[in-house]
Amino acid sequence: MLLGTGALGLAWLFAAPSLRSQARPRDPLADLRVEQMAFRFSIFQQEGRGLQSQAEIDRTPGAAIQRGSEHAWIFQPMLSAIIRQDRNTTHSLTLPVDIVTAASPDALNPDVQTNASRENEAAGLDLVTTVREREDISWQLHIGFHFEEYWGDGQIGGAFIHRFADDNATLRLGIETIFDSFDPLEPNGVDPGPVVNRFGAAATGSISQLLSPTTIVSAGYTFTAQFGVLETTYNSVPVVGGGRLQDRYARTRGRHTLTGEIRQAIPETDTYLGLSYRFYADTFGALSHSAMLTATQYIGDVWVRAHYRFHHQDAPSFWMSSAPSVDAPEWLLRTSDSDLETLDAHEAGLNVRWFFDRRGALTALSSYVQLGYVFYGRSNSLVMHVGSFDFGFGF
Amino acid sequence: MSRPSLRSPTALSIVLAIVGVLAPLGSVGCAIVPRYQREAFANPAMDPQATSLEDRSLGKMRGAREVAAGGDGRAAGGGCACSN
């Protein structure tokens, strides 16, 4: 699957311009160029306690149910490039890497677990090719894959983009599919093998509309269907009186997401505001509301950007803080994952971006350096600090 | 078993979400802004492409720690060992 995805990506890279060239003469090869390279390095430091974690808890028989440690460090370098192949074809390439050291998976029995849980390195590649077929119509193809030590996935998708009303409105219809394959590590650290699979497909429709020379609104809807082993197989529910039960989810899940956003420019003060809202509901019974406000203020060639996000979620119907017995039937759906618990989350961030080597008006392709910090805190004790450094160079 | 009612918090929140998101789009398809007045939309602060790596990084952080992954143009639930 993964090799097939990669082969398809390469095939598309070379086929895209020739497909379009049937309709119009091909631009000279000299148009091929890198438009922008961008790099981001983030450090995430996380503390918290969750029922699904077995780290740093009293394991003596009869001990009270406790929340285990969710301590984690994550180092995340990312690289992206925007490559223009010719006047109508661009490729956006992203290489994300994650290096995770987490207490929760480390607490699995070290004698039998795979090395995957101690320090987990993950890397991937995403390629999005956009071909402008006509002045008002574009096509996109997305190919991606991702590897961890005990996990791998391949992604493929596409989208149709139609601009109308003299480019005042843009309609985007897309489909994405993802195929995951992973080792089914159990809560005691044992890998019973063989690998298990998960498949997901998402259909998205979104539309944006200019409302004034300084205002744009957009809205979107996504339906995602998932099939297969959907739980984190080494997560478990504590049992009253001792012991743990492996998480168990239904084998299918339908997810609905509705988003809306408005962006407003205030040229008089060089200020830019954004307000977005996201509604989510799924067939597990989970539901959430998220709202985010972003404010950007320019001071010369520097922007200062602040954001605040509030998120509330209601847990899936089968979420439980403990199970009554270790003899629960196989079909009983259960989880005590703190990430799925009913909770509120607050997030606040601030970053400063300096646009150096400014040539003409600023655009998304202008060169910059940026420093940022984000605080993320949940009502069930998890706290995260994120520091980041960004660098982008426009050619 | 009780019948679903628009008075229930869940149904009401769904209706409000749909109305709230779709209401500003009543003018979709209207050519309101001529091309020569679109300078503001090219500014990085108005263009999502200018923060694509940051959005991806923070989106992954939220997706791994909240129940509500997906809806960002990608299929949910892949690319990490999280169950969200």
Side-chain angles (χ1 to χ4, degrees):
Chain A
M1 172 71 189
L2 300 177
L3 288 174
T5 302
L8 272 172
L10 288 173
W12 174 262
L13 191 67
F14 292 106
S18 60
L19 287 173
R20 192 187 43 69
S21 68
Q22 293 170 8
R24 64 178 70 201
R26 183 172 176 170
D27 284 345
L29 191 62
D31 280 350
L32 176 71
R33 68 182 190 277
V34 176
E35 288 194 329
Q36 188 190 52
M37 295 281 291
F39 171 77
R40 178 181 173 87
F41 182 74
S42 309
I43 298 176
F44 300 75
Q45 193 263 321
Q46 173 179 288
E47 297 293 344
R49 311 290 295 188
L51 287 165
Q52 83 286 356
S53 172
Q54 302 180 62
E56 300 173 21
I57 60 173
D58 181 358
R59 294 167 183 265
T60 55
I65 290 173
Q66 305 157 63
R67 288 175 174 261
S69 172
E70 295 181 305
H71 169 79
W73 282 94
I74 302 163
F75 303 92
Q76 187 184 72
M78 277 193 200
L79 186 68
S80 77
I82 298 172
I83 303 160
R84 176 165 293 280
Q85 186 157 330
D86 58 36
R87 183 182 301 276
N88 295 295
T89 307
T90 56
H91 306 282
S92 175
L93 189 69
T94 307
L95 296 156
V97 174
D98 285 306
I99 301 165
V100 182
T101 305
S104 174
D106 276 359
L108 307 183
N109 186 337
D111 293 329
V112 290
Q113 73 176 5
T114 71
N115 192 48
S117 301
R118 295 189 167 277
E119 184 177 286
N120 190 15
E121 291 90 19
L125 186 147
D126 268 315
L127 174 67
V128 178
T129 295
T130 305
V131 178
R132 190 158 181 145
E133 179 65 31
R134 290 188 344 211
E135 197 62 32
D136 57 344
I137 290 179
S138 296
W139 296 90
Q140 277 185 335
L141 181 77
H142 168 227
I143 302 274
F145 59 84
H146 177 99
F147 289 110
E148 296 182 27
E149 290 178 45
Y150 70 109
W151 186 285
D153 72 62
Q155 305 155 44
I156 186 164
F160 165 79
I161 300 166
H162 186 203
R163 291 168 290 275
F164 52 98
D166 191 27
D167 277 2
N168 271 247
T170 303
L171 171 72
R172 185 180 188 279
L173 302 172
I175 291 177
E176 284 286 334
T177 58
I178 184 165
F179 181 83
D180 295 338
S181 187
F182 52 98
D183 296 329
L185 294 177
E186 293 182 342
N188 59 6
V190 172
D191 176 5
V195 297
V196 293
N197 300 310
R198 174 187 302 175
F199 175 75
T204 299
S206 63
I207 194 157
S208 64
Q209 167 73 48
L210 306 185
L211 288 185
S212 79
T214 56
T215 313
I216 182 170
V217 292
S218 59
Y221 168 76
T222 298
F223 174 71
T224 304
Q226 289 180 278
F227 310 93
V229 178
L230 304 182
E231 62 268 22
T232 300
T233 54
Y234 58 74
N235 275 355
S236 57
V237 179
V239 176
V240 175
R244 302 191 74 89
L245 273 176
Q246 188 175 19
D247 274 20
R248 183 79 61 199
Y249 291 6
R251 289 292 174 258
T252 60
R253 187 178 189 180
R255 315 166 75 127
H256 306 272
T257 310
L258 194 61
T259 57
E261 182 176 24
I262 182 167
R263 291 183 181 224
Q264 176 68 51
I266 307 171
E268 294 78 8
T269 56
D270 224 356
T271 307
Y272 297 83
L273 302 173
L275 178 64
S276 62
Y277 169 76
R278 184 173 183 274
F279 172 78
Y280 171 91
D282 68 26
T283 54
F284 283 6
L287 185 146
S288 81
H289 301 275
S290 311
M292 187 161 83
L293 177 66
T294 304
T296 308
Q297 177 64 54
Y298 280 92
I299 305 166
D301 288 341
V302 174
W303 90 15
V304 179
R305 169 173 274 208
H307 82 264
Y308 170 74
R309 176 178 179 270
F310 174 74
H311 170 82
H312 170 80
Q313 68 182 39
D314 292 328
S317 57
F318 53 87
W319 194 93
M320 57 185 72
S321 57
S322 64
S325 165
V326 289
D327 298 322
E330 276 294 301
W331 49 261
L332 179 69
L333 305 182
R334 67 246 179 185
T335 184
S336 58
D337 190 337
S338 67
D339 298 332
L340 276 58
E341 197 171 357
T342 295
L343 57 83
D344 292 334
H346 300 271
E347 178 186 318
L350 184 73
N351 66 57
V352 179
R353 178 180 291 198
W354 172 44
F355 292 94
F356 66 92
D357 190 27
R358 180 172 179 167
R359 286 168 285 186
L362 286 180
T363 72
L365 300 179
S366 299
S367 301
Y368 64 88
V369 289
Q370 174 179 303
L371 285 173
Y373 169 76
V374 173
F375 168 83
Y376 179 86
R378 295 194 319 213
S379 56
N380 65 352
S381 85
L382 184 133
V383 170
M384 177 168 268
H385 301 277
V386 186
S388 62
F389 169 76
D390 288 73
F391 173 77
F393 193 83
F395 295 92
Chain B
M1 197 169 97
S2 62
R3 291 176 55 198
S5 165
L6 279 181
R7 293 179 182 176
S8 74
T10 301
L12 189 61
S13 66
I14 292 172
V15 170
L16 285 175
I18 293 171
V19 171
V21 167
L22 297 183
L25 291 172
S27 58
V28 160
C30 297
I32 297 170
V33 184
R35 289 177 185 270
Y36 63 86
Q37 287 186 344
R38 295 180 196 164
E39 182 184 346
F41 303 114
N43 191 286
M46 291 285 271
D47 187 345
Q49 186 183 330
T51 54
S52 60
L53 285 184
E54 180 179 342
D55 294 343
R56 182 186 180 110
S57 174
L58 295 178
K60 186 172 181 180
M61 175 191 83
R62 295 168 193 137
R65 284 157 190 81
E66 296 171 357
V67 74
D72 54 358
R74 297 174 181 276
C80 71
C82 45
S83 50
N84 312 348

